[in-house]
Structures are given as C-alpha cells and as structure tokens.
Amino acid sequence: MSRIGMKNPVVEMDGDEMTRVLWKLIKDELLLPFVDLKTEYYDLGLTHRDETDDKVTVDAANAIKRLKVGVKCATITPNKQRVEEYNLKEMWKSPNGTIRAILDGTVFRAPITVNCIKPVVKTWKKPITVARHAYGDVYKATEYRVTGPGKAELVFTGKDGHETRQTVFDFEGAGVLQGQYNRDDSILSFARSAMTYALSTKQDLWFSAKDTISKQYDQTFKLLFQEVYENEFKDKFEKAGITYFYTLIDDAVARVIRSEGGFIWACKNYDGDVMSDMISTAFGSLAMMTSVLVSPDGNYEYEAAHGTVTRHFYRYRAGEKTSTNPIATIFAWTGALRKRGELDATQDLIAFADRLEKACLDTIEDGIMTKDLAGLSEIPVRQIADSEAFIKAIRERLEQTA
Ligand code: NAP
Ligand code: MG
C-alpha cells in the first residue's frame, strides 16, 4: 500500500509519562503505516528540557512560527516534587506557557462527541468550543485584605507625571480590595485569534462580557472586538456564511444551555476558566477534550486538554496494562495533519485525518472503549480495552477504509 505524502512538515513535540507511551503507539499503529510522515521533532520530555536548559521548548515554539502547524504531547509542568523526582537543574516553566508567550495565542477547547455518550444538556447536538483569553484580569490582580477603616483610591500616574485619582471606597471597617488590568494589544490579538479560528472551522462566534456593569473595562473588550470584526473580518464572515455577535455573559449562559451547540464561545479569562470546565464536564470526559492554540497571525498548535496521566503511568511502569484513553491525543494529530493538508492543498492528507477520526468514533460506537468511557456509555460495552488493544481496534477499522 502506498503511503500518503506530505508537502511540508509539522512540528512534533514529544512529551512525558503515559501520554509519551501513547504518542509512540499512535505513531507506530495509526500514522506511520498510512502516512509518509514529515515532522520536525522536538523532545519536550522533562529530561531533555532539563538537558537543554529548556531551550528545546523555545526552539519548538519558533519552529511553529516558521512551519505554521504543530502537534504537542502532554508535558509535565515541574513542581518541587518533580524537581526531586527528575533531579532537575531548575523548576522549569510550563512549556505551554512558554509556547503561548512566543506565539501570542488564544486556547480553544472543544469536546469530541460520540453518539453513545450523551451530553448532560439534552439539547446539545454539536460540540461547543470555549475560547479563553489567557491573559490578565483577576489572574494578574493586585489585592489587599483591608483590616480597618480607611480610603481606597485608584491612582494612575502618566509618563508625563500627570496623576488621575479616584476614590474606590471609603471603608468604615474591614473588607477586601483588588486592582485588575488588561492591555489593548492583548485584547486585539484575542479577538483576531477567535475570529481566525471561527473562519477556519466555519462556526459562528459569540463573545460575552459584562459591559452594562463594567462600563470602561468590559466595554473596551466589546468595542475592540467590534472594531476588529468590522475592519478585518466582516466580509470574510459573510462569505463563509457565519456570524459574530456580542452578548452579555448572563444572556450567553442562558443561550448556551438552550442551544444545539456548534459554535465558538469567546470568554474573558475568568469566564473561560470556569465555563470550559463546565462545558467539558457536561459533554462527558476530560479525556475527550482537544485543545488548540491559535495565534493572531494564523499559527496552530494542537494538543489534548488533559495532562500526562501520571497515575496511570506509575502503574504502567510497574508492568501493569492501563486503559488510558488516547482519543484526545489522536485528535491532536488529526487536527494538525488536517490543517497541514489545508495549508498545502493536499486533499489526501485531509481525507486521512477524517478517516482516522471516524475510525476512532466507530470503535467506540462498536462498544470497544477505554475504562473512562465505559462508565458513561449508553450502549452495552463489549470490551473495556487497554490502551494498546484499543489503538489496535482503531487500526483495524482504519484499514477497512483504506
Ligand atoms: P491528568 O494527567 O489530566 O490526569 C488526571 C486524571 O484524569 C487521571 O488520573 C485520570 O483519572 C483522568 N484522565 C486524564 N486523562 C485521561 C485519559 N486520557 N484517559 C483516562 N483517564 C484520564 O492531570 P494531573 O494528574 O493533574 O497531571 C499530571 C501531569 O500532567 C502533571 O505533571 C501536570 O503538570 C501535567 N499537565 C500537563 C498538561 C499539558 O501538557 N497540556 C495539562 C495538564 C496537566 P483516573 O486516575 O481516575 O483514571
Ligand atoms: Mg479551570
């Protein structure tokens, strides 16, 4: 059988623990036999990050800027315990944070849906993607515990020394106080990423905030989104037959619950943090959630939303078979290969990504699934498969469509 060709490579970022084990299995069983895989390989496994003083992460991010498409395995973000476990030179930063800082992007999380696992919300028929602005607001706030009476003021000192001063509150007793900020350039790139992604997936875009209450802060978000839309995206959206609209966060929440799904919901940082967990849980399982980082200038980095599944890895290392779900990691690959195919106009590669995704879903619909899904399935489970058996079952179905 001749393998499908690729014109340009994707950036491949290997990772840690159980997902690193799955990574190799997925390549050996589901990719290499079918595709003449072209990748630029970066080993982001913790040991190699430590050996290169984390330079490998920076190199990988720069490679994504050059090649436009990357696929990443889950990686350990070291804490104190990991520094000891891996005997690290330093407590290296989160690779995702490093990559995001270089690409300046927005993260989109979307559930992978199967018929036999029903969302908690009965009306949902298509996935809902949450786009979270991952910069500023309460995550970078300065806050105080006010211990007694006193006046809280907001003071801004311009570069020219000019001072603007406003009373926040006259405290008569104890309380709390917080200062938040965001930047126009960050909000603008959030808007561009969200609109670029909506176009690339041909889905409507919703954006929600609370501008009726926050008349400067949230109002700025609303106006900058509107400006980017009018000036840069309106024509393209109309051509693609998709819409953009802004609504209040409370209205958005009500509409989301009543909706059929099938759109992108752009959220401010805190809203996105909370809502993405609610949406993913309501759709089923963390192991069925993909994540893609889209930069405002159109670079794409695909990964699974879950981590390295440490608990399973320790069991695997002790010689046990584990039933770890590889679906989100497989979909990271299909997302990257499909995007590569779109950018290079290689129809075969796009078709392969579609086939592989279908083979995954068919396997589950046939009642063969990993343990995490078996508990949620509304159809009889024929086989609770370990990761390897599950991937082999997917391969069988993939071969049937070759
Ligand atoms: P996790 O790896 O997402 O796993 C948490 C639990 O969720 C697992 O113990 C497992 O539950 C379940 N789970 C997650 N993915 C699964 C899958 N594919 N199949 C079956 N079950 C799955 O989160 P964590 O244990 O908090 O973090 C582990 C490491 O991952 C940490 O070092 C963290 O830094 C890193 N991390 C990386 C990323 C990333 O690279 N994007 C994201 C998050 C965390 P049961 O044990 O109950 O089966
Ligand atoms: Mg959260």
Side-chain angles (χ1 to χ4, degrees), residues 51 67 79 132 142 172 192 246 331 348 382:
E51 282 164 8
L67 295 173
N79 53 16
R132 171 184 171 191
T142 306
E172 287 176 5
R192 290 193 181 102
Y246 169 84
F331 274 60
D348 284 2
R382 283 203 292 139

Side-chain angles (χ1 to χ4, degrees), residues 112-347:
I112 302 154
T113 55
V114 276
N115 289 326
C116 61
I117 295 164
K118 298 273 182 254
V120 176
V121 179
K122 280 184 249 159
T123 51
W124 290 354
K125 300 206 160 55
K126 291 179 225 158
I128 296 168
T129 303
V130 174
R132 171 184 171 191
H133 183 213
Y135 181 83
D137 301 352
V138 70
Y139 300 85
K140 293 276 179 189
T142 306
E143 52 180 27
Y144 293 135
R145 173 89 179 105
V146 175
T147 51
K151 184 160 78 168
E153 292 178 298
L154 203 55
V155 182
F156 177 78
T157 314
K159 257 259 153 78
D160 59 2
H162 181 75
E163 214 178 75
T164 318
R165 188 177 282 266
Q166 264 181 297
T167 301
V168 176
F169 194 63
D170 270 315
F171 283 92
E172 287 176 5
V176 282
L177 178 66
Q178 184 179 73
Q180 294 187 25
Y181 70 91
N182 221 301
R183 302 186 347 227
D184 277 15
D185 57 350
S186 175
I187 300 165
L188 287 167
S189 76
F190 172 42
R192 290 193 181 102
S193 296
M195 290 179 198
T196 303
Y197 190 70
L199 268 180
S200 109
T201 59
K202 296 198 177 50
Q203 297 183 87
D204 291 343
L205 176 66
W206 304 13
F207 175 53
S208 59
K210 192 75 177 175
D211 64 297
T212 47
I213 300 299
S214 171
K215 292 191 193 319
Q216 294 293 332
Y217 202 111
D218 280 22
Q219 173 81 345
T220 298
F221 276 79
K222 176 184 171 178
L223 292 177
L224 292 179
F225 260 72
Q226 195 60 33
E227 180 185 308
V228 171
Y229 178 66
E230 301 282 345
N231 296 342
E232 301 169 34
F233 286 91
K234 193 160 185 275
D235 293 346
K236 293 178 202 159
F237 268 50
E238 281 168 6
K239 243 181 236 146
I242 58 173
T243 58
Y244 163 69
F245 86 102
Y246 169 84
T247 188
L248 287 169
I249 177 77
D250 31 3
D251 179 53
V253 168
R255 282 172 187 258
V256 163
I257 298 297
R258 289 196 307 264
S259 77
E260 286 197 352
F263 55 88
I264 293 150
W265 182 14
C267 292
K268 287 182 60 199
N269 207 350
Y270 174 80
D271 298 341
D273 184 354
V274 177
M275 292 304 160
S276 65
D277 279 341
M278 187 196 70
I279 299 275
S280 63
T281 308
F283 268 106
S285 159
L286 183 62
M288 297 289 276
M289 185 65 78
T290 60
S291 176
V292 52
L293 173 71
V294 182
S295 74
D297 49 343
N299 302 310
Y300 294 78
E301 186 222 7
Y302 295 84
E303 65 168 342
H306 61 76
T308 59
V309 211
T310 310
R311 292 210 317 181
H312 293 212
F313 180 63
Y314 290 164
R315 294 211 303 269
Y316 169 87
R317 215 175 35 186
E320 260 180 69
K321 286 203 174 215
T322 71
S323 185
T324 317
N325 189 340
I327 294 284
T329 305
I330 298 173
F331 274 60
W333 273 102
T334 53
L337 293 179
R338 181 182 294 108
K339 181 53 73 183
R340 185 76 276 164
E342 285 168 12
L343 294 176
D344 297 348
T346 34
Q347 211 51 50

